[in-house]
Amino acid sequence: MPPLLPQSSLQPCVSGDRNCRELTVTTASVKTNNVYLPAVSLARALSKLGFCSRTQAESIIAGGRVTVNGVPAHNAAQRVDMEKDRIAVDGTEVATKKKFIYILLNKPTGYITTRVDERGRETIYDLLPKTDQFVFPVGRLDMDTSGALIVTNDSQLGERLTNPESLCPKSYRVEAEGRLTDDDRRALEHGVLINGGYTTRPSVLRDIEIRESETECTITITEGKNRQVRKMFASIGHEVTALHRTAIGSVSVLGIAIGKWRTLDENEIHRLMK
């Protein structure tokens, strides 16, 4: 993990809010001549450099706006060496010295994680500070799920946390219909069938509160299939009525109000990268 640079200011999302007051975003710098970066596609290079998303890069390249070493490039799959090649968009070279942004958002329900929604629904970008860097959510939370969501422009961290082999733990507070039995708990902890035959990895349940007609508990899983927690509980006959992600690894949203955010500190970033 590269050393952190001094913090740089961003515009506050809500004036006067303690989570947004004099907001700063922890940044890091990578110089490609200090670290060997293997050849990647041109579209991926633009994404990794924080210029835009890979999809946007493909459109920009197809539009003839990109050059590599002064030569027009029209193929998004063209291999480039981020250590040696000079990549420019509209005649301006894309910097190979990059500032990394790490934001932890306590996402409310009712928000989606895409940048733009053709149906006009609210997105998490309405809640985030303004920045000239392209940032993306690491993994996703569906519209009906709230809680911890990391937003960054560090593709290495994004790949680390979303890679199934990383076994990054994610904890959720669950409210579900019905009374969870001992057999239900054992099934969830050992693995249940979802998605027509996939057996989930072992999970951990704790802080279980069983009421007359519902159960509340915390579950920690080490994978991230689409709507996995909801599907796990549905597989044993308990529909999830509320779901809130409380932590990603050791990084928790405790102390962050719903809809607010803070930047990750150096120690948190290092722990996530381990």
Side-chain angles (χ1 to χ4, degrees), residues 97-108:
K97 182 178 180 180
K98 180 177 178 180
K99 292 182 178 180
F100 287 135
I101 297 171
Y102 305 94
I103 295 172
L104 177 63
L105 171 69
N106 193 350
K107 175 191 169 298

Side-chain angles (χ1 to χ4, degrees), residues 89-147:
V89 178
D90 297 331
T92 301
E93 190 166 335
V94 178
T96 55
K97 182 178 180 180
K98 180 177 178 180
K99 292 182 178 180
F100 287 135
I101 297 171
Y102 305 94
I103 295 172
L104 177 63
L105 171 69
N106 193 350
K107 175 191 169 298
T109 58
Y111 284 74
I112 60 175
T113 57
T114 55
R115 181 174 291 273
V116 179
D117 180 56
E118 65 279 1
R119 294 162 58 184
R121 292 174 294 181
E122 294 177 301
T123 84
I124 60 167
Y125 291 92
D126 298 325
L127 304 171
L128 298 175
K130 305 303 180 186
T131 173
D132 58 0
Q133 294 281 328
F134 171 77
V135 294
F136 58 89
V138 178
R140 298 194 176 190
L141 290 179
D142 63 60
M143 188 168 69
D144 298 323
T145 301
S146 61

Side-chain angles (χ1 to χ4, degrees), residues 46 51-66 73-74 88-90:
L46 287 171
F51 185 83
C52 60
S53 71
R54 202 179 312 183
T55 301
Q56 291 170 327
E58 290 171 355
S59 177
I60 291 171
I61 295 164
R65 298 169 54 190
V66 180
H74 301 282
V89 178
D90 297 331

Side-chain angles (χ1 to χ4, degrees), residues 244-263:
H244 178 78
R245 185 156 67 191
T246 58
I248 301 170
S250 60
V251 176
S252 168
V253 291
L254 184 66
I256 306 176
I258 286 286
K260 307 303 180 186
W261 58 269
R262 66 172 176 82
T263 57

